[in-house]
Each structure stands twice: as C-alpha cells, then as structure tokens.
Amino acid sequence: MKASKRYAEIAQQLSLDIANGVYPVGSTLPSEPVLAEALGVSRSTVRAALGELQKLGMVSRRPSLGTRIEASEPLTSGESFSQTFSSIEAIVQYAAITLRDGLTFEQIVLDDSLATRLQTNPGSKWLKISYRRVDKLVNTAPPICWTDVYVDRRYASFVSDRMALHVGAVSQLVEEAAGRPISQVEQALRGVGVPAQYAEALKAPVDGHALEITRRYFLGTSELVLASISIHPGDRFTYVSRLMRHP
C-alpha cells in the first residue's frame, strides 16, 4: 500500500481512537516512535497522520511537550464542519471521517449542460452516484452536503459493486480498478443557492446560501476518470486552504 494512503488511514484510526476515548481530551499521545512501532508503520507516516489531525484541530504539537489531544471531534464550533485541504490525501481523509447516507446509482449519458460543467464530451456515458455526506462523530448534526459523483464507464461496474462496503473515497476504488493513482485533482468553488431538489434531504431552505465544490480527478495529466459536484449549505462547512510562498 502506498505511504500516501497509509498515513490517511492512520489519521482516521487515531481520530476514531480519540473520539472513542482511547486518548481522552487533555491527554498526550504516545511518542512518534512508540506509535510507529504499535501501528507497524514508519515514523514519517505517523508524523504525516498527526499533521492531518492537527489541521483538524484535534491535536496540538509542541517541541518537548509532545502531541496533546485538544478535541474529540474535527469541529470548529457549533454544527459547522471544518476541513483543511492541502493534498489529494486530505480529500481521502475527509471521506474517511464522514459517512455516506442514502446511496443511489444511475447510468447516465451527459447532456450538453452537464458535459460543460464537467468539461468533458457530451453524449459520453458515466455512472452517477448520489448521496448525502454526514458527520460520523455527531449524530445530531445536520447533513454536511449533497454529492453527485460521476465515474467513467470503464470503471463503473467495479465501483458500483464495492461502494456499499467502501468507507473511503470513491477515487480509491477508481485507482484500484485502473491500477494507477489519481495524480491530479482540479477543483472549483462558487457560491450558489441550495437547489430545490436537494433542500429537503439537506434540511436547508431552498435557495439558501451554499458552497458548491466541483472536483475533476485525473489519471496522468489529462485523463478525466472521475468528477463530483457537492452542495454544502453555508452554515455547515468551512473550506480551509493554505497558501505557501515558494523560495
């Protein structure tokens, strides 16, 4: 298994341990060498996983003081879900710490409008997977978003056969089917109103403020194999990105 996927899985495992009280808030995690040995991974993998938990606000890390548990769930305040995305692995981690609810599948042919949105050919065939995404740790929280995922027809059967038991990102199944990793994800964000067809499922008012995130996943530099469109009601989700100055 590739190290990039492994650290996302370790982050998921540690976040669940924290949520379940194995490591209570206020306590300190074992050292990186101890965790690495216990989990059967390298120290660099543990360090990357702890970095993701730090971005979620679940831990803080200080020299000589170790890694302290700051929160039992990746929430900022109230019922708003906050997530930092700085890599493809962070998207995988987001999928791992939330749940899909109400999966539906449909074989579709892209019309001109949808093909334009996904920037691909009209008339092409895709598998459409639709679901709500909900918080795994807070059962009473309203749905985080509605997502429509579009899978290249070459991988449609493989993905649909495994989705019911798959807890990670759909992109992981596409990678497994293709035998190659997703190398690029292009994403676009825009403010929209909550569409009427999703309002009831999202428990949100029609045309209420929402954030729409469109992602396009590529094998290599230009082979589009997966796309998704997610609608996040404005009070449910905070998108955080980090901009770095290159030397």
Side-chain angles (χ1 to χ4, degrees):
M1 179 175 291
K2 294 190 176 183
S4 60
K5 292 184 181 179
R6 188 62 174 141
Y7 93 72
E9 291 185 355
I10 294 300
Q12 177 193 10
Q13 181 177 339
L14 290 174
S15 67
L16 290 176
D17 286 344
I18 293 170
N20 291 328
V22 177
Y23 302 113
V25 173
S27 68
T28 302
L29 282 176
S31 65
E32 286 182 5
V34 171
L35 283 174
E37 183 176 358
L39 297 169
V41 296
S42 67
R43 286 187 63 180
S44 62
T45 298
V46 169
R47 189 174 302 116
L50 294 178
E52 291 302 313
L53 295 185
Q54 187 173 18
K55 293 174 186 177
L56 292 171
M58 296 182 73
V59 304
S60 61
R61 309 181 70 194
R62 300 179 180 85
S64 76
L65 296 179
T67 303
R68 184 178 186 275
I69 309 302
E70 302 292 351
S72 62
E73 56 191 44
L75 299 176
T76 51
S77 62
E79 296 179 321
S80 173
F81 193 94
S82 178
Q83 178 69 57
T84 299
F85 293 103
S86 57
S87 65
I88 294 175
E89 289 73 35
I91 297 176
V92 173
Q93 167 66 4
Y94 167 67
I97 61 176
T98 59
L99 293 175
R100 284 183 289 265
D101 176 60
L103 279 172
T104 63
F105 300 86
E106 180 184 4
Q107 298 287 343
I108 67 168
V109 176
L110 298 188
D111 59 20
D112 290 345
S113 176
L114 186 53
T116 297
R117 294 188 69 187
L118 302 184
Q119 299 180 44
T120 190
N121 299 323
S124 56
K125 297 179 180 179
W126 295 72
L127 170 67
K128 180 182 178 182
I129 308 172
S130 300
Y131 52 84
R132 296 189 308 175
R133 193 166 282 286
V134 298
D135 197 311
K136 178 183 290 187
L137 303 177
V138 184
N139 295 332
T140 58
I144 299 167
C145 69
W146 180 276
T147 297
D148 292 322
V149 176
Y150 302 89
V151 181
D152 186 295
R153 67 175 179 175
R154 290 173 294 171
Y155 313 117
S157 294
F158 185 94
V159 171
S160 60
D161 289 346
R162 292 161 176 77
M163 275 296 294
L165 299 177
H166 181 66
V167 297
V170 180
S171 60
Q172 292 173 301
L173 291 178
V174 173
E175 288 179 322
E176 186 178 348
R180 291 186 287 159
I182 298 291
S183 57
Q184 295 185 49
V185 179
E186 177 187 287
Q187 57 185 17
L189 288 72
R190 66 170 185 160
V192 297
V194 174
Q197 65 266 37
Y198 305 141
E200 183 177 357
L202 288 172
K203 301 179 181 179
V206 175
D207 288 333
H209 296 302
L211 176 67
E212 179 189 89
I213 303 178
T214 300
R215 293 193 177 99
R216 301 167 68 237
Y217 296 72
F218 297 88
L219 298 175
T221 58
S222 60
E223 187 180 349
L224 179 67
V225 292
L226 181 70
S228 66
I229 300 176
S230 297
I231 303 294
H232 299 262
D235 59 346
R236 313 275 174 85
F237 183 83
T238 301
Y239 183 100
V240 182
S241 61
R242 182 171 298 163
L243 306 179
M244 306 294 290
R245 184 182 296 278
H246 289 288

